[in-house]
Amino acid sequence: MIVGLLMLSSTITSLTVVLIVFFLFKEGVAVFEKKPVEDGYTIVINKNNKVRKLTSEEIKNIYDQKTTFWSQLGAKHDSIILFRVEDIANFYTEDQIGANFENLPSCLSSIVDSIPGIIAFFPEKYLAKNFKGKQLDIDKVSLKEFFGGEEWYPTAQPSAQLGVKPLILGTLWVSFGAILLALPLGLAAAIYMSEIADERIRRIMKPLIELLAGIPSVVYGFFGLVIIVPIIQKIFNLPVGETGLAGSIVLGIMALPTIITISEDAMRNTPREMKEASLALGASKWQTIYKIVIPYSISGISAAAILGIGRAVGETMAVLMVTGNAAVIPHSILEPMRTIPATIAAELGEAPSGGLHYKALFALGCILFVITLVINLTVEFVSSRRKGGNH
Amino acid sequence: MYKLESKHVDFFYGASQALKDINISIEENTVTALIGPSGCGKSTYLRLFNRMNDLISNTTIKGEVLIDGLDVYAKGVNVDSLRKKTGMVFQKPNPFPKTIFENVAYGLRVNGITDEKLIQERVESSIKKVVLWDEVKDKLKKSAFELSGGQQQRLCIARALAIQPSVILMDEPTSALDPISTAKIEELVYELKSKYTIVIVTHNMQQAARVSDKTAFFYLGELIEFNITRELFTNPMVERTQNYITGRFG
């Protein structure tokens, strides 16, 4: 009976995990089934235009007026004429269109027919039955675009830009910066607590550090926003203080308790006899620390570092509050950055359920999941090496 | 002049007194066994000579502990160089998580020796002294953990010899070993006597009788009797020693 209950609860837990992962990937992978154009909209061109297919990037370049001739896309040398549905007023009067837009489809149809270089973007419902233009075939979101694209404008019209590179890079920059700050500090604290501080100081410090792990992340974010952001702005004389660095500092502080407690535990596991043997051979305390204690506990220390990174990679709220959230490829830690978790948290509420943007956010979740999975597997690997006694 | 000496030594862990007025003089190139029941202070006494008790916080010492006539607790004594004069062997074999070679070389390296040729020579001669060379010469680059317990303990002795101490302190060196390994270590102690002054803490009275020239019997922090080993075991002067060595308590 009890065995059954225990088995049931562990089965439920495992099933939940599997279900979450399945759901995440089902939604996330579906982004590659979608076209990067908002549902219910269409893009049309003149029927004599040879172009059949465009990628979202090509469409974006057209609308950004970077591509101005069809010849750049392999067609006749016509200059590209952009047309949005509101431009209809330049061609027809309100009377001609009709009070309830009842003549709009045929108006659009004849405009597209009369201008050879036109590209028009309008809702599909205004497509006339005997439309005299050609509907563009738009490529589905490709892996190359998704991972290689450098712009994240999931709601851009007419064609969404779903390049996750700036987000991945932002996540890595912020996390890497965090670990760069937290690791030396955390290791120093761990060495101090395990090897130098006497028992009394340790008994005060350890709970304090563990308390740091219990502070809600919004509080960290708030602290970062009120204290760290203005300081960074002042020191580096920046227009805004919300930068990757601010995120790194806040995340570094958040990763500290993990790093300190785990590496301290590992160091305290160094057998006393081993340290004594080193000291008895005339090694100084420092020599003993870096020649015996650190090598002995190196797998624990690496596990601490990796778990610290894991904490930093997955953190959402605090980062969202202090990094400035600009989805551009970062060139320095002093620029605003946007991380994957912050993107999901900030945008999911605005993304229509089941739409392109929504699926793209789930795909981001998949990426995050893979990153943390890799981190966890690394920890497993590192600590299994320790158990094997392979020093 | 005595090699090792203690004069009116009192030692305290916090408020509790672990050693009471210990006076012992040890001659050069002898083996002295420290015996007594658990908690009698024999290990604490041994660890005074290389100041290993300093690692425990809240301890105090009174009296004098002398090596070659110099007080090791005097002001201005460099503890690290003091410890170079004394090799220590511990209860359990405790090789470092390094190769066999690096274990023995460790003491040399931390003392600033960088001449690889010298290190090579010292490592080899130290391992030869503990009669381990033939067993490990082909696997010097392997982890010390691959050796058996007895081999590890001999390696630890070699490690202590490499820094060329004049005193070797052994804290129950065979308590974790099987009889054959124990016999090898005892033989080794006997051979090392010609070059080193050895103090050995042991629970095993037969061992004390076999290896030592003199024996000190400790009980509850007091030195009950200190005499030539044969005398102490055959003709103890104090009744409590008699009771202990005949196994009436302990």
Side-chain angles (χ1 to χ4, degrees):
Chain A
M1 169 69 180
I2 292 175
V3 174
L5 275 176
L6 294 177
M7 209 176 84
L8 188 72
S9 52
S10 57
T11 316
I12 289 175
T13 317
S14 325
L15 267 178
T16 317
V17 173
V18 172
L19 268 176
I20 290 175
V21 174
F22 174 75
F23 170 71
L24 180 66
F25 276 84
K26 187 182 139 258
E27 296 286 329
V29 169
V31 77
F32 300 110
E33 298 294 313
K34 289 242 166 205
K35 294 181 176 182
V37 174
E38 206 176 317
D39 283 339
Y41 278 76
T42 184
I43 299 177
V44 296
I45 52 175
N46 186 279
K47 65 174 184 291
N48 295 324
N49 197 328
K50 273 197 289 180
V51 173
R52 308 200 159 274
K53 256 187 169 188
L54 286 177
T55 65
S56 70
E57 200 183 350
E58 284 163 344
I59 295 168
K60 177 180 154 282
N61 285 339
I62 290 171
Y63 276 82
D64 284 352
Q65 301 185 341
K66 281 184 196 150
T67 310
T68 47
F69 289 99
W70 285 112
S71 52
Q72 286 166 280
L73 298 165
K76 270 190 283 181
H77 190 77
D78 285 322
S79 58
I80 294 174
I81 292 154
L82 299 178
F83 180 88
R84 288 173 203 267
V85 75
E86 51 275 21
D87 297 334
I88 193 84
N90 303 336
F91 296 86
Y92 296 95
T93 63
E94 275 181 42
D95 287 346
Q96 284 168 309
I97 297 164
N100 298 319
F101 306 120
E102 58 269 19
N103 300 323
L104 186 56
S106 57
C107 295
L108 287 170
S109 175
S110 49
I111 289 171
V112 171
D113 194 34
S114 61
I115 306 172
I118 198 167
I119 178 163
F121 172 70
F122 53 80
E124 233 164 0
K125 64 177 174 186
Y126 296 135
L127 203 60
K129 278 195 187 96
N130 53 348
F131 187 65
K132 282 180 253 164
K134 188 164 68 177
Q135 255 182 298
L136 258 187
D137 197 4
I138 295 168
D139 276 344
K140 286 175 185 170
V141 178
S142 72
L143 277 172
K144 187 173 153 272
E145 256 176 359
F146 194 71
F147 290 101
E150 304 202 336
E151 291 187 332
W152 174 259
Y153 294 117
T155 52
Q157 298 270 28
S159 170
Q161 299 300 305
L162 297 177
V164 296
K165 218 162 151 189
L167 308 180
I168 294 178
L169 284 177
T171 306
L172 294 181
W173 272 76
V174 172
S175 311
F176 187 69
I179 219 66
L180 220 55
L181 294 172
L183 200 58
L185 197 62
L187 272 188
I191 289 173
Y192 176 74
M193 289 209 329
S194 84
E195 301 301 318
I196 296 159
D198 60 41
E199 197 54 34
R200 215 163 18 122
I201 296 177
R202 205 182 150 265
R203 238 181 268 155
I204 302 170
M205 280 180 78
K206 185 123 193 190
L208 270 180
I209 287 167
E210 277 161 2
L211 196 67
L212 207 57
I215 297 174
S217 58
V218 232
V219 177
Y220 281 102
F222 189 61
F223 169 78
L225 200 60
V226 174
I227 312 265
I228 295 171
V229 166
I231 291 177
I232 289 177
Q233 190 176 1
K234 224 175 244 166
I235 290 179
F236 296 99
N237 201 13
L238 298 169
V240 284
E242 280 105 339
T243 54
L245 182 63
S248 293
I249 293 175
V250 171
L251 281 184
I253 298 172
M254 295 178 76
L256 269 180
T258 316
I259 293 176
I260 294 175
T261 47
I262 294 177
S263 53
E264 197 233 347
D265 280 347
M267 287 183 202
R268 287 176 72 83
N269 272 337
T270 312
R272 211 185 71 172
E273 301 85 45
M274 216 173 264
K275 286 189 260 179
E276 285 187 345
S278 165
L279 293 167
L281 289 167
S284 68
K285 194 164 196 165
W286 297 113
Q287 285 173 323
T288 303
I289 289 174
Y290 77 77
K291 288 193 160 201
I292 302 296
V293 176
I294 292 179
Y296 185 85
S297 49
I298 193 68
S299 51
I301 294 171
S302 357
I306 297 163
L307 282 174
I309 296 174
R311 175 100 158 96
V313 168
E315 176 49 40
T316 310
M317 205 56 220
V319 190
L320 183 68
M321 291 168 80
V322 301
T323 53
N325 298 316
V328 285
I329 300 238
H331 299 287
S332 111
I333 192 85
L334 293 174
E335 287 170 19
M337 291 177 197
R338 167 180 277 213
T339 65
I340 294 174
T343 307
I344 298 175
E347 294 179 5
L348 195 58
E350 301 159 14
S353 168
L356 174 75
H357 187 188
Y358 179 88
K359 306 256 169 177
L361 290 177
F362 272 95
L364 275 182
C366 296
I367 296 174
L368 193 63
F369 174 81
V370 170
I371 294 176
T372 45
L373 187 72
V374 168
I375 291 171
N376 283 345
L377 290 178
T378 320
V379 174
E380 286 279 316
F381 175 72
V382 167
S383 47
S384 72
R385 258 184 47 193
R386 172 171 47 178
K387 272 177 217 135
N390 183 7
H391 296 295
Chain B
M1 189 175 65
Y2 290 108
K3 183 70 189 172
L4 302 171
E5 232 178 328
S6 66
K7 292 180 182 168
H8 305 293
V9 168
D10 293 310
F11 188 82
F12 301 85
Y13 291 112
S16 77
Q17 188 164 4
L19 292 173
K20 293 171 194 160
D21 193 30
I22 310 293
N23 294 285
I24 292 181
S25 304
I26 294 170
E27 280 155 37
E28 198 161 9
N29 298 350
T30 58
V31 177
T32 304
L34 310 179
I35 61 168
S38 299
C40 68
K42 56 193 190 303
S43 285
T44 305
Y45 181 72
L46 183 80
R47 292 158 66 97
L48 289 178
F49 288 103
N50 61 351
R51 292 186 58 167
M52 288 309 272
N53 289 327
D54 291 13
L55 306 179
I56 302 159
S57 56
N58 204 14
T59 56
T60 38
I61 176 162
K62 288 178 189 154
E64 285 177 64
V65 179
L66 308 169
I67 297 181
D68 295 324
L70 300 171
D71 188 353
V72 302
Y73 284 90
K75 272 198 184 127
V77 168
N78 182 327
V79 181
D80 296 340
S81 47
L82 163 75
R83 286 176 182 156
K84 262 177 264 172
K85 289 196 256 172
T86 55
M88 190 164 210
V89 181
F90 297 80
Q91 274 190 27
K92 268 189 274 168
N94 56 349
F96 298 132
K98 296 176 187 290
T99 64
I100 293 170
F101 183 90
E102 283 305 318
N103 258 280
V104 183
Y106 182 83
L108 304 170
R109 294 198 196 282
V110 295
N111 289 309
I113 296 176
T114 49
D115 180 353
E116 282 300 323
K117 216 178 131 216
L118 178 68
I119 291 176
Q120 195 91 32
E121 281 168 17
R122 285 267 198 98
V123 168
E124 184 172 337
S125 71
S126 305
I127 297 179
K128 278 179 175 160
K129 273 184 206 155
V130 299
V131 208
L132 191 64
W133 182 253
D134 290 334
E135 292 158 68
V136 302
K137 65 179 180 217
D138 299 325
K139 43 182 180 180
L140 291 173
K141 295 267 176 279
K142 295 223 168 119
S143 165
F145 291 119
E146 288 180 21
L147 298 175
S148 73
Q151 288 174 323
Q152 285 185 12
Q153 192 64 308
R154 277 183 284 153
L155 185 73
C156 290
I157 298 175
R159 182 174 69 185
L161 297 182
I163 55 169
Q164 300 188 321
S166 55
V167 177
I168 300 174
L169 307 170
M170 296 183 156
D171 191 354
E172 299 184 40
T174 61
S175 63
L177 302 181
D178 62 89
I180 293 170
S181 305
T182 301
K184 279 188 182 162
I185 303 269
E186 286 179 8
E187 206 176 305
L188 193 59
V189 169
Y190 192 79
E191 279 164 22
L192 292 173
K193 193 169 80 168
S194 60
K195 288 195 184 121
Y196 306 90
T197 307
I198 298 171
V199 185
I200 180 168
V201 167
T202 178
H203 259 110
N204 179 331
M205 276 169 287
Q206 283 78 21
Q207 185 171 66
R210 281 194 298 264
V211 301
S212 67
D213 301 301
K214 282 190 164 184
T215 298
F217 172 55
F218 282 74
Y219 184 66
L220 294 179
E222 283 179 69
L223 177 65
I224 305 299
E225 194 168 345
F226 178 50
N227 208 341
I228 292 167
T229 301
R230 192 165 0 101
E231 290 283 316
L232 188 129
F233 277 96
T234 53
N235 191 16
M237 288 192 287
V238 184
E239 201 190 342
R240 232 174 322 177
T241 315
Q242 166 94 35
N243 290 345
Y244 183 69
I245 60 178
T246 53
R248 235 167 279 170
F249 78 96

